[in-house]
Amino acid sequence: MRQQIVVANWKMHKTIKEALPFVAELKERSGKSSVKIFIAAPFTFISPLVEEAGSDADIFIGAQNMHDALEGPFTGEISAAMLKEVGASFVLLGHSERRIFFGEKDDFISRKVKRAIELGLTPILCVGETEEEYLDNKTEEVLSHQLTAALNDCSANQFDKIVIAYEPVWAIGTGKSASAAQAQRSHHFCRKVLAALFGTAAADTTPLLYGGSVKVENASLLLSQSDIDGLLVGGASLDIHSFIGIINSF
Ligand code: PGA
């Protein structure tokens, strides 16, 4: 059985004051299903949200990015150790907004993945094709390239700790989700690439999440696909009722 995970990616939204009651409400429904709830919060929220989540075994607070270096002259950046120190348990890496707006390249993302694991953070590695690549029928080529570039020098032991999120760039924040069949095809392909890199047994236990315009209306259908183990939710995770609706789709 693969772990079911739902991630709220709040991006650059909310205040700590708004975020605290959100986590308090999530705690109310804790223990009601086997899905684990991950909140990818802005850096300054992590410590107060970790405190609010307390010992809840279903809620995990993490970050949306980090640098790969242990420390150094990188103005404006944050390290894995700094995230660990405030109680983060996971980190999103390689999100398309980091790749596109901040020019992050595969080798940087690959180094971050290994550093996160080394420091005990679960990396959620995001991959996905742009609209142009999709229209050019390059989805599989892009996925294969991004996964291989980010993971090829990971050991089997390191790979064991990774979560993958497939997020077609054309579906992020556009209201235009991939259909369940399209998403399943890409997930199945990602699992094949992972199997080629780390073996079938390892690929079969890795959680693969879908992201891109997930909402209450399409969550169940996406989750009914055999290779979709969870969801990475942006816009629809900002409102507690819509996010709980999505959690209840598991
Ligand atoms: P969206 O964002 O749900 O608003 O499309 C998803 C993401 O960027 O992770």
Side-chain angles (χ1 to χ4, degrees), residues 9 11 95-97 167 171-175 211-214 232-236:
N9 177 12
K11 310 191 180 185
H95 189 282
S96 65
E97 286 157 13
E167 297 202 293
I172 296 179
T174 57
S213 296
V214 172
L232 173 43
V233 191

Side-chain angles (χ1 to χ4, degrees), residues 79-107:
S79 74
M82 291 167 185
L83 295 176
K84 268 306 268 192
E85 188 182 30
V86 290
S89 47
F90 74 95
V91 60
L92 298 183
L93 295 175
H95 189 282
S96 65
E97 286 157 13
R98 299 299 316 173
R99 293 179 194 257
I100 295 166
F101 302 137
F102 301 96
E104 292 197 6
K105 299 280 181 281
D106 292 313
D107 57 335

Side-chain angles (χ1 to χ4, degrees), residues 122-179:
T122 299
I124 302 182
L125 170 68
C126 305
V127 294
E129 80 285 3
T130 62
E131 180 154 41
E132 199 184 342
E133 290 161 343
Y134 169 70
L135 294 173
D136 260 5
N137 279 321
K138 291 204 173 118
T139 300
E140 295 193 347
E141 192 184 313
V142 170
L143 294 178
S144 172
H145 172 81
Q146 289 181 344
L147 287 170
T148 308
L151 302 174
N152 71 355
D153 53 352
C154 271
S155 67
N157 204 24
Q158 287 171 318
F159 177 67
D160 214 34
K161 320 245 171 357
I162 293 172
V163 174
I164 307 286
Y166 166 62
E167 297 202 293
V169 179
W170 47 270
I172 296 179
T174 57
K176 201 168 72 181
S177 164
S179 70

